[in-house]
Amino acid sequence: MTTLAGLAHRAGIAPEVVAHLQKLTSAWGLLADLCFSDLILYVPTYFDLSNPAQPSGELNYMVVAQVRPATSRTLYPKDLVSSVITASSAPGITQCLSSGHIAFKESRVPHSDEHRVSFCIPVRHDGVVVAAMVREYELNAKLVRGELERIYVSLFERFANMITRGEFPFSSDDLAEAPRVGDGAMVVDEDDVITFMSPNGASALHRLGSHVARVGDTFASLGLDLGVIARARLNLEPVVEEIEKKPVTTVMFQALPLLNLGEYSGSLVLLRDVSELRRRDRLLLSKDATIREVHHRVKNNLQTISSLLRLQIRRLTSEDGKEALREAERRIRSIAVVHEILSRDVGDVVDFGEVISAIVDLAHESVPPDLHLEITISGSPGELDATVATPLALILTELIQNSIEHAFSSRDESAGERSGHIKLTFSRRLASLVIEISDSGVGFKEGFNPKEITSLGLSIVDSLVTSQLCGEISYGSQQGAHIRVRVPVPDRISL
């Protein structure tokens, strides 16, 4: 188990501390970008290095998370997570955890003229230091840092102090779709005055029409109705807002409050031009709406055909003709059920449980008045692809109707009202959906041979199962008819 939660559990870390560390690691990609460095999270543990399953009396440190910067090269191309080091080999971490203050260490890189720098930052939760976040980078005399790099590092230092005081990560921090530092960054002071603006940040403002934005302005003076800074100051929590300029420009803003001993001292505002993302979202919504409309129209057309068949049934005098049209009308309605559900939901999957309920309701409509029939359902098929759901709906309709028409017809009717029971059982086995339909009727006749089926309904079922769904079907009698259908179900569908 190499997740942070799993490793922390192995190290004996309390659940509430694990939750705090998870919030930190969900947000620390921002920190790695600001400081152009690798960040490694260590927790204290008492486990034997040679056998991690056995506790040891010696204090060690386990790596439970690691992040690389998107703004610089990494020092650790290999994954360090789950590795363990002894406390004696990491005096900086020991000093950091024991003192509760940031510890600094510089060492020479073997076989090189460069030096490696480590900052050990104590991670505090509820007033207690629970872990150490280590920033590591190499000093390079040839690398010249500009104003942007200096400001980014100073911002990281402010966040590092917030971590030390337990003010970061924020309690409701959600950075799932947040901009990255490279997308655009601005800093405002406690008076909402812009004190820094990255080139990408300025470009994002230009797309909103603010071509004269400069350091010393406020968003209000730029004509931007931006409420994220005020809400970040009020709640001391990150706030995300999008501003749209018709017709095609959308910029996302996220304000992260900068705190000093619990007091608001400004905000880091990250900006990202999400115009293309929102355009794609609109296209997807439009596509989903179009697909739903198509299913809705197909359902309406099928219902119209069903109504026309019912009208035709009333005009016929032949009972055989009437029964043939009734069967055709039932088949059409069973297909319409799938399209009705697809017209309400987004995507190409359908909750087949809803289809089954509708099919059972349709079946009850065709039950003779003198037959008391109970239909029960066991198990759940879950969601199915529409290409499976449509033929499967028709299969179930035919099999249930076959039981209604033939399973109870030979019962002794002298006792009055007949009764019967049909049971549908659904189960998932490996990559297949297994359906069993059993009734309490007379069962199949002795010598019944599925290969010699003459019934149109069972012929349709056999063709749909074997040809269209590439499945299998078997017939038997167990105190009544028992039919077992197995159809392959794609692994991406969860049942």
Side-chain angles (χ1 to χ4, degrees):
M1 195 173 356
T2 57
T3 63
L4 187 151
L7 293 171
H9 174 75
R10 221 175 89 187
I13 306 299
E16 61 273 14
V17 174
V18 174
H20 183 77
L21 297 180
Q22 286 176 321
K23 284 184 178 180
L24 173 62
T25 55
S26 71
W28 70 345
L30 161 74
L31 304 182
D33 289 348
L34 286 174
C35 67
F36 308 93
S37 308
D38 291 276
L39 296 178
I40 305 165
L41 188 63
Y42 291 89
V43 296
T45 182
Y46 289 89
F47 280 93
D48 193 322
L49 291 178
S50 60
N51 186 2
Q54 295 295 327
S56 168
E58 183 181 4
L59 175 63
N60 302 314
Y61 302 126
M62 178 186 291
V63 178
V64 293
Q66 170 187 7
V67 66
R68 301 177 179 91
T71 51
S72 180
R73 71 179 183 90
T74 180
L75 300 183
Y76 296 102
K78 293 185 179 180
D79 189 20
L80 300 179
V81 173
S82 78
S83 60
V84 180
I85 61 174
T86 62
S88 58
S89 66
I93 298 177
T94 301
Q95 179 185 352
C96 165
L97 292 174
S98 60
S99 68
H101 298 292
I102 296 176
F104 169 84
K105 178 187 176 183
E106 182 178 339
S107 59
R108 184 173 177 177
V109 179
H111 313 294
S112 172
D113 293 332
E114 296 181 345
H115 288 71
R116 181 165 296 181
V117 178
S118 299
F119 280 92
C120 300
I121 301 161
V123 179
R124 199 178 301 272
H125 173 65
D126 283 346
V128 178
V129 176
V130 295
M133 184 181 78
V134 178
R135 172 200 176 195
E136 292 202 11
Y137 64 98
E138 288 183 356
L139 288 176
N140 189 337
K142 298 180 181 179
L143 181 62
V144 179
R145 298 288 188 182
E147 180 190 14
L148 182 143
E149 289 80 5
R150 289 194 296 271
I151 290 178
Y152 279 3
V153 172
S154 69
L155 284 168
F156 169 78
E157 291 171 352
R158 294 174 75 173
F159 279 110
N161 288 324
M162 290 168 61
I163 293 173
T164 302
R165 296 190 295 265
E167 298 169 339
F168 188 88
F170 302 105
S171 59
S172 61
D173 197 6
D174 183 7
L175 301 177
E177 200 182 17
R180 296 293 297 260
V181 171
D183 295 323
M186 306 176 72
V187 180
V188 299
D189 62 17
E190 60 271 19
D191 297 320
D192 297 347
V193 176
I194 299 172
T195 60
F196 169 77
M197 183 186 312
S198 72
N200 285 344
S203 296
L205 290 183
H206 289 172
R207 294 184 183 95
L208 291 176
S210 299
H211 298 287
V212 295
R214 61 177 66 88
V215 171
D217 290 332
T218 65
F219 286 107
S221 67
L222 296 174
L224 293 175
D225 184 18
L226 197 64
V228 290
I229 298 175
R231 296 203 302 276
R233 181 197 299 112
L234 178 64
N235 301 322
L236 300 183
E237 294 285 348
V239 179
V240 176
E241 179 181 337
E242 289 186 7
I243 292 184
E244 183 176 3
K245 182 184 179 182
K246 302 293 184 180
V248 294
T249 302
T250 305
V251 175
M252 176 188 292
F253 292 80
Q254 184 185 47
L256 293 93
L258 301 171
L259 308 180
N260 186 9
L261 299 176
E263 296 293 328
Y264 178 81
S265 62
S267 287
L268 168 62
V269 181
L270 302 178
L271 303 82
R272 181 184 181 189
D273 184 352
V274 293
S275 304
E276 182 62 20
L277 291 176
R278 296 300 169 255
R279 186 187 70 82
R280 293 179 184 177
D281 290 344
R282 287 191 290 270
L283 287 177
L284 288 174
L285 289 174
S286 176
K287 177 183 176 182
D288 290 337
T290 301
I291 292 174
R292 288 198 300 270
E293 179 63 22
V294 169
H295 285 300
H296 181 71
R297 293 188 182 189
V298 171
K299 183 260 298 184
N300 287 345
N301 290 338
L302 291 173
Q303 289 179 338
T304 299
I305 296 172
S306 178
S307 299
L308 292 174
L309 288 175
R310 286 197 295 270
L311 288 174
Q312 188 66 39
I313 290 170
R314 297 192 189 105
R315 292 178 174 269
L316 292 179
T317 56
S318 168
E319 287 301 321
D320 289 342
K322 287 183 178 181
E323 184 57 31
L325 289 184
R326 287 192 190 98
E327 290 181 357
E329 191 263 343
R330 279 193 296 269
R331 290 164 185 150
I332 290 172
R333 289 172 69 187
S334 67
I335 297 173
V337 166
V338 178
H339 287 282
E340 180 180 8
I341 295 173
L342 287 170
S343 70
R344 299 197 305 261
D345 300 329
V346 177
D348 58 352
V349 296
V350 58
D351 182 356
F352 202 68
E354 292 187 52
V355 177
I356 295 168
S357 299
I359 289 174
V360 169
D361 291 339
L362 289 176
H364 279 297
E365 293 179 10
S366 62
V367 175
D370 64 335
L371 174 62
H372 175 72
L373 180 65
E374 181 183 11
I375 302 177
T376 60
I377 302 169
S378 176
S380 172
E383 292 185 338
L384 295 176
D385 193 284
T387 57
V388 177
T390 301
L392 202 56
L394 189 53
I395 290 168
L396 287 177
T397 299
E398 293 295 334
L399 293 177
I400 294 173
Q401 192 61 36
N402 188 71
S403 289
I404 293 174
E405 292 179 358
H406 304 291
F408 315 105
S409 59
S410 301
R411 291 289 184 88
D412 182 9
E413 301 180 15
S414 62
E417 184 181 73
R418 296 173 293 159
S419 63
H421 178 225
I422 298 176
K423 182 178 181 181
L424 308 176
T425 304
F426 299 87
S427 60
R428 176 72 183 271
R429 299 177 184 176
L430 299 178
S432 300
L433 174 64
V434 177
I435 307 171
E436 297 179 84
I437 302 98
S438 57
D439 61 49
S440 59
V442 297
F444 294 105
K445 294 180 180 180
E446 187 175 350
F448 172 78
N449 186 355
K451 296 182 179 180
E452 299 177 358
I453 291 176
T454 59
S455 163
L456 176 61
L458 291 183
S459 297
I460 291 173
V461 168
D462 187 74
S463 176
L464 290 174
V465 171
T466 58
S467 299
Q468 187 164 340
L469 296 179
C470 301
E472 301 171 352
I473 184 169
S474 60
Y475 302 86
S477 294
Q478 298 177 3
Q479 299 179 343
H482 181 270
I483 302 172
R484 183 180 184 274
V485 177
R486 185 197 66 80
V487 295
V489 178
D491 290 338
R492 69 184 183 89
I493 302 297
S494 85
L495 301 175

